């Protein structure tokens, strides 16, 4: 719903209503929305009528959310046509934030969205998206207590500060309730799993001659996980592999050599492990790999979750106290507690000799070998026993006072103090390094018999291979397992004062308006992994710690000038400052908006401005971590006579140098900067119909990336050979970050996060709303939204080629366009809604494998993908409403690309763009007792 029809929020449209209100609606349907009360909407600090302004705003009401079948706020936002970017989610096994939900507007970073609750910033999620980026988790907001959601696309930093580059999402919670409301919703998936239940209660009370008014509510929910084995596409390895490739089982018990590949050494031919993975383990074959045999299962992909289990409860209170006609105190409290559980799958639940020993030497076989063994549900007494768990608690508290300065003043004020806090505990069942290695040495490898005769570096063992190819008891399994608890948190404290005047002075087009706001506060982030993840006591897993605090302040001003009756100009500016680690970062931003109405029903609009994202505390203060990789030693290649264009001729020890790297946060980072502009048109000939189209542009610079090791090595070589001034800042940095030994060989390389990348994006959005009274046949409502990304260019480093993200599937699988539409029909006590979500063509899997993209063998595009939800609502009485909802009405599954994936894929679909949950059914009852009393 666009802002042109936001006034319709105050009218009975396509929702259940009594006959009197229907008659009134029909009588006023053709009237223009004039002389409306002024309200504040996202995109401006100045109260105004609910007509469209220079900034497009999409409004999704609580009625829309319910009728379209959305279960939570995450589904609402991810279904928006603006949400064209794929993101990690519940289906992303072993991602850093599998227990959270987010979205990407227009294919931009998930961290470029500013989230507000009632106009105030949400707390950041403590864990880092993809291990490096700060973002917001939108799964813990009580959807039953949401009044509406406003989505404002484009850069908005001149009003909302840091992070508001892609857009702003403002979630408005209920402030008024007519009578107590008790509701319940229950359902599950047609294909199995995911049974869920949600109950909520909300009420309002007044006291002390109505001076005190309190709205309060509670929502509690519980849902079961959806497992991979409950969906055909993920219950086993791909049976339709590319070019007829055979289905390949997981290598659950494998012995392999770097020289002779697979060795099958089980005297029982897998008989002793055949009970694993619910009796699916057999002797398997991979042609071309040694003696080709191993023990494995075709069904191990099913042993991970596609949707988390979840238990959550949220409490909400909004209270006001009328001191007098000019001042009102208020307090808002939102508390949330969630417990989320998920499983990363058998691919990440295993043991092998390579982690501790690299290889071992077996004298009887005269070969170097490694053992690799997966753990099964039978080993652990049930797969559910090894699920990972995230426990989170968050709160947002605000107290303040608002009102008017005096009886003869047009100046309103709002002064508030707020605090948000988010605490996260990540609880994992981990493999203890020494106990697990000792267990397998005792039961399989036997005592070490010295070092190998060839290199004198690898241990000698004579394993009991029959013991290797066996299942173990749960008591044995848990003898080398232990729980780790990693704790993290964020906080944001803010004091804010805002003064607004909707009638500052008169102009030919009406009253000018102004707003001034100042704010100050502190922010903090800490990530404290379990100490055993840092000191090597956990097998095969590490972590990075970090933490930091900063103070901040901001000043904002906005001026709205209706210079002529058809022409309004709005200007805003903001200055943000941040102080951390003895260093201050400041950033001014501005925006200029124009509205021109040649006739009352037609609006031309445009905006130009700037936006930014301040360095995150994680980017600045993330702890030191190590990694291994390869690069080219241009300096040593140069000493041998090979210039940078001839390194392919340089000896491999320099042209393919393996090095140990270290990375950490950088307190000297600068803000990410953006220039943004948009222009558009809105046509609303009647209150029944409106259509709008807007063009958006982003030019984003100084994005944060890790330094390019290749460029660092080139700089260092040029510095040491005289190509660059050895005393320059570039040379001093390069030489200090590359550590060489006495023989001139590279010992280690330190890389930092730097402001280096850039991107540009152009997009078009179209929105339409229509309502038609059908007389005795009720009311029909239509709405639709369409987004088309026109061009998206990326460049990580100045020497890199520019990437065309919309046409280069090697870099991005996002669709170019996305849309949604809904049709609602209301008659008397019945309301029905059909909602559809459309995703445009996307690359197939083969197109993502090679820089040649669509020119690569087997590459191509997948067709569009549409799902539909349907709901029926019936008002049994004025107080009781019953609903039946079906999501994914046709049970559409993303199985259109299976022939592009190999036979060893357990997930032959793009989980960033699609979900595999299928059709779901829900029943809902809402009892509004005490209504109107």
């Amino acid at each position: 719903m666009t802002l042109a029809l936001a006034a319709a929020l105050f009218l009975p449209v396509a929702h259940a209503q009594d006959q009197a209100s229907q008659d009134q609606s029909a009588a006023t349907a053709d009237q223009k929305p004039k002389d409306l009360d002024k309200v504040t909407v996202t995109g401006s600090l100045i109260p105004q009528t609910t007509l469209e302004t220079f900034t497009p705003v999409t409004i999704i009401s609580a009625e829309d959310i319910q009728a379209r079948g959305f279960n939570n706020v995450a589904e609402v936002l991810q279904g928006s046509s603006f949400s064209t970017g794929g993101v990690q989610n519940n289906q992303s096994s072993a991602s850093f934030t599998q227990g959270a939900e987010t979205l990407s507007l227009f294919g931009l970073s998930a961290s470029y969205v500013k989230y507000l609750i009632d106009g105030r910033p949400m707390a950041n999620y403590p864990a880092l998206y993809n291990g490096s980026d700060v973002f917001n988790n939108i799964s813990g907001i009580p959807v039953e207590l949401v009044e509406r959601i406003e989505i404002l696309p484009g850069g908005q930093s001149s009003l909302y500060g840091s992070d508001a580059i892609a857009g702003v999402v403002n979630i408005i919670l209920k402030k008024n309730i007519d009578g107590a409301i008790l509701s319940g919703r229950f359902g599950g998936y047609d294909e199995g799993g995911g049974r869920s239940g949600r109950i909520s209660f909300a009420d309002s009370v007044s006291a002390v001659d109505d001076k005190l008014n309190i709205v309060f509510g509670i929502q509690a929910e519980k849902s079961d996980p959806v497992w991979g084995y409950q969906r055909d596409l993920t219950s086993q390895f791909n049976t339709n592999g590319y070019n007829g490739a055979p289905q390949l089982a997981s290598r659950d018990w494998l012995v392999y050599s770097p020289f002779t590949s697979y060795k099958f050494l089980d005297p029982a031919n897998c008989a002793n492990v055949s009970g694993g993975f619910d009796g699916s383990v057999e002797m398997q074959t991979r042609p071309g790999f040694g003696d080709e045999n191993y023990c494995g299962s075709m069904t191990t992909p099913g042993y991970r979750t596609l949707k988390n289990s979840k238990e959550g409860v949220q409490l909400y209170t909004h209270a006001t106290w009328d001191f007098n006609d000019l001042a009102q105190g208020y307090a808002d409290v939102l508390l949330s507690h969630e417990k989320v559980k998920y499983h990363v799958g058998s691919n990440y639940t295993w043991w092998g000799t390579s982690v501790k020993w690299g290889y071992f030497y077996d004298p009887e076989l005269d070969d170097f070998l490694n053992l690799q063994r997966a753990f099964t549900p039978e080993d652990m007494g049930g797969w559910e026993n090894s699920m990972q768990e995230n426990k989170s608690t968050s709160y947002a508290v605000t107290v303040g006072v608002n009102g008017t300065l005096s009886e003869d003043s047009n100046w309103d004020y709002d002064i508030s103090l707020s605090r948000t806090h988010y605490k996260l505990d990540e609880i994992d069942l981990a493999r203890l390094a020494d106990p697990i290695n000792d267990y397998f040495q005792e039961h399989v490898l036997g005592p070490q018999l010295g070092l190998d005769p060839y290199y004198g570096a690898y241990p000698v063992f004579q394993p009991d291979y029959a013991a290797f190819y066996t299942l173990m008891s749960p008591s044995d399994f848990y003898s080398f397992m232990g729980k780790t608890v990693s704790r993290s948190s964020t906080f944001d404290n803010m004091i804010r004062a805002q003064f607004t005047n909707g009638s500052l002075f008169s102009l030919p087009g009406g009253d000018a308006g102004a707003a001034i706001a100042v704010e100050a506060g502190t922010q903090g982030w800490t990530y404290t992994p379990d100490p055993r993840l840092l000191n090597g006591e956990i097998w095969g897993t590490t972590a990075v710690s970090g933490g930091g605090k900063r103070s901040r302040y901001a000043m904002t001003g906005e001026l709205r000038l209706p210079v002529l009756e058809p022409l309004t100009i709005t200007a805003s500016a903001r200055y943000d400052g941040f102080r951390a680690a003895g260093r201050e970062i400041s950033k001014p931003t501005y925006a200029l908006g124009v509205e021109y109405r040649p006739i009352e029903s037609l609006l031309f609009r445009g905006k130009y401005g700037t936006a930014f994202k301040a360095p995150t505390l994680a980017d600045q203060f993330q702890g030191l971590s190590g990694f291994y990789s390869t690069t080219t030693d241009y300096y040593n290649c140069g000493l041998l006579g090979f210039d940078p264009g001839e390194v392919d001729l340089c000896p491999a020890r320099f042209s393919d140098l393996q090095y140990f790297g270290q990375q950490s946060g950088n307190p000297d980072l600068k803000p990410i900067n953006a220039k943004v502009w948009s222009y558009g048109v809105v046509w609303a000939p009647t209150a029944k119909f409106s259509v709008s189209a807007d063009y958006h542009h982003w030019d984003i610079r100084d994005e944060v990336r890790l330094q390019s090791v290749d460029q660092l090595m080139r700089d260092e070589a040029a510095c040491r050979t005289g190509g660059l001034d050895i005393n320059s800042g570039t040379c001093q940095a390069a030489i200090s970050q590359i550590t060489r030994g006495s023989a001139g060989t590279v010992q280690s390389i330190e890389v930092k996060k730097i402001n280096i990348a850039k991107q540009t994006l152009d997009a078009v959005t179209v929105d339409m709303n229509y309502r038609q009274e059908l007389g005795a046949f009720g009311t029909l409502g239509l709405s639709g939204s369409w987004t088309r990304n026109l061009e998206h260019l990326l460049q990580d480093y100045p020497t890199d080629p520019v990437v065309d993200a919309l046409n280069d599937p090697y870099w991005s699988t996002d669709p170019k366009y996305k849309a949604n539409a809904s049709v609602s029909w209301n008659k008397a006590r019945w309301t029905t809604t059909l909602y559809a979500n459309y995703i445009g063509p996307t690359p197939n899997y083969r197109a993502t494998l090679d820089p040649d993209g669509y020119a690569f063998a087997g590459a191509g595009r997948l067709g569009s993908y549409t799902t539909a939800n349907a709901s029926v609502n019936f008002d049994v009485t004025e107080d009781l409403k019953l609903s039946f909802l079906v999501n994914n009405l046709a049970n559409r599954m993303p199985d259109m690309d299976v022939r592009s994936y190999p036979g060893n894929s357990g997930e032959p679909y793009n989980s960033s763009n699609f979900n595999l949950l299928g059709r779901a059914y829900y029943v809902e009852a809402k009892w509004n007792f005490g209504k109107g009393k």
Side-chain angles (χ1 to χ4, degrees):
M1 181 182 297
T2 59
L3 199 53
L5 292 183
L9 288 175
F10 305 103
L11 299 175
V13 190
H15 307 295
Q17 51 197 278
D18 58 29
Q19 187 61 46
S21 67
Q22 292 185 55
D23 295 341
Q24 181 183 9
S25 176
T28 61
D30 290 316
Q31 296 179 8
K32 300 292 182 183
K34 298 178 181 178
D35 302 323
L36 299 171
D37 290 337
K38 291 184 176 182
V39 297
T40 301
V41 296
T42 308
S44 178
L45 304 179
I46 304 169
Q48 54 199 283
T49 60
T50 55
L51 295 172
E52 289 272 10
T53 69
F54 67 93
T55 303
V57 179
T58 293
I59 298 176
I60 305 170
S61 69
E63 292 81 5
D64 293 332
I65 294 171
Q66 190 276 337
R68 296 174 184 180
F70 297 126
N71 284 298
N72 50 56
V73 171
E75 288 187 9
V76 177
L77 296 175
Q78 290 165 357
S80 163
S81 71
F82 302 151
S83 179
T84 62
V87 292
Q88 295 177 356
N89 51 48
N90 290 185
Q91 303 174 95
S92 306
S93 287
S95 67
F96 290 88
T97 52
Q98 192 170 338
E101 292 281 357
T102 189
L103 81 156
S104 163
L105 294 183
F106 302 97
L108 295 172
S109 168
S111 68
Y112 286 178
V113 182
K114 184 80 168 188
Y115 292 93
L116 310 173
I117 295 182
D118 292 329
R120 292 180 284 270
M122 282 180 61
N124 288 326
Y125 191 64
L128 303 179
Y129 183 80
N130 209 24
S132 63
D133 216 350
V134 170
F135 76 111
N136 293 97
N137 178 20
I138 53 177
S139 74
I141 301 167
V143 68
E144 284 288 351
L145 303 176
V146 170
E147 179 68 27
R148 67 184 185 275
I149 298 174
E150 299 175 352
I151 307 175
L152 178 63
Q156 311 296 336
S157 290
S158 64
L159 291 179
Y160 300 107
S162 177
D163 305 342
I165 293 179
V168 173
V169 174
N170 192 11
I171 300 163
I172 312 297
L173 301 179
K174 295 182 185 295
K175 302 296 183 295
N176 297 288
I177 295 177
D178 184 10
I181 300 175
L182 176 66
S183 68
R185 178 169 176 158
F186 305 91
Y189 290 94
D190 193 25
E191 301 283 328
R195 290 182 303 175
S196 64
R198 183 180 74 214
I199 58 173
S200 68
F201 176 78
D203 198 1
S204 61
V205 295
S206 299
V208 195
D209 297 327
D210 290 337
K211 287 185 176 182
L212 175 65
N213 294 277
I214 300 174
V215 173
F216 61 91
I218 181 171
Q219 175 180 295
E221 60 183 319
K222 182 177 181 180
S223 61
D224 295 335
V226 175
W227 290 89
Y229 60 76
Q230 294 173 315
R231 298 295 180 271
D232 290 343
L233 207 58
T234 52
S235 63
Q236 59 182 323
F237 287 102
N238 188 13
T239 59
N240 297 281
Y242 174 70
N243 256 358
Q247 186 184 29
L248 293 175
S250 53
R251 295 164 293 192
D252 301 315
W253 280 265
L254 176 68
V255 182
Y256 65 95
S257 161
F259 304 109
T260 58
S261 195
Y262 292 5
K263 285 189 176 294
F264 188 65
L265 302 172
D266 184 8
N269 291 327
C270 303
N272 293 329
V273 294
S274 62
F277 293 107
D278 292 315
S280 63
V281 176
E282 299 176 335
M283 187 166 72
Q284 307 286 353
T285 301
R286 289 201 183 190
F289 289 85
D291 57 21
E292 301 183 346
N293 295 324
Y294 61 95
C295 299
S297 168
M298 292 292 185
T299 65
T300 52
Y303 294 90
R304 68 179 183 95
T305 50
L306 302 175
K307 185 178 186 295
N308 302 338
S309 75
K310 179 180 176 181
E311 296 178 13
V313 61
Q314 291 88 32
L315 301 172
Y316 167 66
T317 300
H318 170 72
T320 61
W321 172 268
D322 295 332
F323 293 106
N324 51 52
D325 291 341
L326 299 178
Q328 182 186 71
Y330 63 89
D332 294 307
V333 178
L334 177 62
L335 306 175
S336 176
H337 178 75
E338 286 189 333
K339 182 172 72 173
V340 172
K341 299 180 75 172
Y342 54 89
H343 206 296
V344 297
S346 62
N347 280 351
Y348 303 94
T349 313
W350 64 285
W351 170 85
T353 54
S354 61
V355 172
K356 179 176 180 178
W357 293 287
Y359 288 97
F360 68 87
Y361 177 74
D362 185 337
E364 291 191 2
L365 299 173
D366 190 24
D367 204 350
F368 291 87
L369 302 174
N370 261 325
L371 307 182
Q372 175 181 301
R373 187 223 200 266
F375 297 116
T376 72
E378 293 74 19
D379 291 331
M380 57 189 68
W383 202 245
E384 294 81 0
N385 293 331
S386 59
M387 294 180 74
Q388 294 174 290
E389 183 177 327
N390 290 177
K391 291 182 179 179
S392 63
T393 301
S394 64
Y395 63 82
V397 178
T398 300
V399 294
V401 60
N402 57 31
T404 304
L405 291 179
S406 65
E407 291 185 359
D408 56 354
S409 174
N410 291 325
W411 283 97
D412 297 327
Y413 66 89
D414 188 336
I415 301 172
S416 64
L417 177 66
S418 62
R419 174 177 170 84
T420 64
H421 184 263
Y422 205 130
K423 185 182 74 170
L424 172 68
D425 290 349
E426 298 169 283
I427 304 168
D428 297 336
L429 186 64
R431 297 153 291 183
L432 305 177
D434 289 341
I436 195 171
N437 288 324
D438 291 345
Y439 175 89
F440 281 100
Q441 187 166 359
E442 177 184 351
H443 291 81
V444 176
L445 294 172
Q448 183 174 337
L449 305 174
L451 297 177
D452 73 275
Y454 295 98
Y455 305 102
Y458 297 98
V460 175
F461 293 116
Q462 288 183 302
D464 180 353
Y465 292 106
F468 174 65
Y469 292 97
T470 58
L471 297 174
M472 64 176 61
S473 68
S475 61
D476 279 1
F477 175 77
Y478 291 107
S479 70
F480 51 74
M481 303 294 289
K483 286 191 174 182
T484 60
V485 181
S486 296
R487 306 183 190 278
S488 55
S489 66
T490 62
F491 71 82
D492 193 328
N493 302 317
M494 181 176 69
I495 184 170
R496 190 173 194 275
Q498 178 176 314
F499 300 88
T500 57
N501 189 327
S503 302
L504 188 63
F505 52 84
S506 295
L507 288 171
D511 290 338
I516 301 170
V518 294
E519 60 188 59
T522 57
Q523 299 172 322
W525 166 76
T526 59
Y527 193 89
T528 308
D530 190 294
R532 294 170 294 177
L533 289 166
L534 300 175
N535 62 19
E537 292 185 28
I538 301 302
W539 190 91
T541 307
T542 61
V544 180
S545 63
K549 300 178 182 179
R550 67 184 176 197
S551 60
R552 69 175 191 89
Y553 62 91
M555 296 169 284
T556 308
E558 183 183 12
L559 185 62
R560 182 173 173 84
L561 301 172
V563 293
L564 298 171
E565 186 171 347
L567 178 65
T568 299
I569 297 175
T570 301
S572 60
R574 179 176 169 120
Y575 186 88
D576 284 88
F578 302 84
R579 176 173 288 276
R583 182 173 179 269
E584 182 161 331
I585 299 171
S586 60
K587 180 62 184 177
T589 51
Y590 63 88
L592 181 67
V594 177
E595 306 160 40
Y596 178 64
R597 292 179 173 84
I599 56 177
E600 187 176 7
S601 62
L602 185 64
L603 165 66
F604 295 99
R605 61 188 175 193
K607 175 186 175 182
Y608 180 87
T610 57
F612 83 106
K613 178 178 175 62
T616 67
L617 292 171
D619 280 341
Q620 291 182 297
F621 300 111
Q622 192 168 358
L624 190 68
S625 63
F627 63 95
Y628 289 93
S629 189
T630 59
T631 188
T632 300
D633 187 344
Y634 293 99
Y635 173 61
N636 273 315
C637 284
L639 294 180
L640 296 176
F642 302 103
D643 65 34
E646 301 172 327
V647 293
D648 56 324
L649 303 175
C650 182
R653 69 181 186 274
F654 298 131
S655 62
D656 193 25
L657 172 73
Q658 183 176 20
Y659 70 92
F660 172 70
Q662 291 181 304
Q663 65 183 58
S664 62
N666 182 2
D668 296 324
L669 287 171
K670 301 181 297 182
I672 298 169
N673 297 295
K675 293 180 180 178
V676 293
W677 50 263
S678 66
Y679 59 84
V681 59
V682 183
W683 184 46
T686 71
K688 295 178 180 179
F689 174 77
S690 75
V691 61
S692 65
D694 292 274
Y695 187 100
H696 307 268
H697 173 80
W698 290 263
D699 184 353
I700 306 172
R701 304 296 174 109
D702 305 315
E703 292 187 290
V704 176
R705 298 290 187 272
L706 276 176
Q707 282 178 295
S708 167
V709 173
D710 184 75
Q711 187 62 51
L712 199 63
M713 297 299 291
R714 289 175 184 269
D715 290 344
E716 188 235 14
C719 295
R720 292 185 182 276
T721 58
L724 292 175
D725 181 1
I726 194 71
N727 296 312
S728 67
T730 298
C731 287
Q732 292 299 308
I735 291 172
S736 67
Q737 290 176 242
I738 299 172
T739 302
R740 292 183 179 271
S742 57
T745 56
V746 173
Q747 304 291 306
S748 65
I749 301 174
E750 179 188 356
V751 290
K752 299 179 180 179
K753 294 182 177 182
I754 57 174
N755 298 97
I756 192 70
K758 63 181 180 180
Q759 62 177 309
T760 59
L761 172 65
D762 295 280
V764 171
T765 59
V766 177
D767 290 275
M768 183 278 293
N769 289 275
Y770 177 69
R771 189 180 78 255
Q772 179 61 53
E773 299 293 339
L774 303 176
F777 296 99
T779 304
L780 181 69
L782 306 173
S783 66
S785 178
W786 179 80
T787 295
R788 171 67 152 88
N789 284 352
L790 301 174
E791 184 177 66
H792 193 180
L793 303 179
L794 311 171
Q795 189 178 36
D796 276 352
Y797 299 96
T799 56
D800 289 351
V802 175
V803 174
D804 181 356
L806 297 182
N807 296 297
D808 189 341
Y810 185 70
W811 287 89
S812 172
T813 63
D814 293 344
K816 291 183 180 180
Y817 44 90
K818 186 176 179 180
N820 60 64
S822 69
V823 180
S824 293
W825 175 67
N826 165 247
K827 184 179 187 300
R829 294 187 293 172
W830 291 92
T831 301
T832 64
T833 300
L834 180 66
Y835 168 82
N837 190 276
Y838 171 89
I839 299 174
T842 54
N844 72 358
Y845 174 72
R846 295 284 299 177
T848 68
L849 297 179
D850 190 90
D852 286 343
Y854 291 115
F856 186 61
R861 289 180 172 86
L862 305 175
S864 59
Y865 188 83
T866 303
T867 56
N869 299 346
S871 68
V872 177
N873 298 305
F874 177 65
D875 291 338
V876 180
T877 67
E878 183 179 351
D879 298 331
L880 178 63
K881 180 171 77 172
L882 300 179
S883 305
F884 178 65
L885 308 99
V886 182
N887 289 354
N888 195 347
L889 196 61
N891 201 28
R892 182 75 190 272
M893 293 290 188
D895 56 2
M896 57 283 191
D897 196 25
V898 292
R899 297 188 185 279
S900 176
Y901 282 80
N904 65 345
S905 173
E907 184 185 296
Y909 72 102
N910 188 334
S911 61
S912 294
N913 292 340
F914 311 105
N915 77 61
L916 199 63
L917 301 178
R919 182 164 48 225
Y921 302 95
Y922 300 97
V923 292
E924 182 173 299
K926 182 173 291 187
W927 184 25
N928 190 176
F929 50 95
K931 183 178 179 181
K933 296 181 180 179

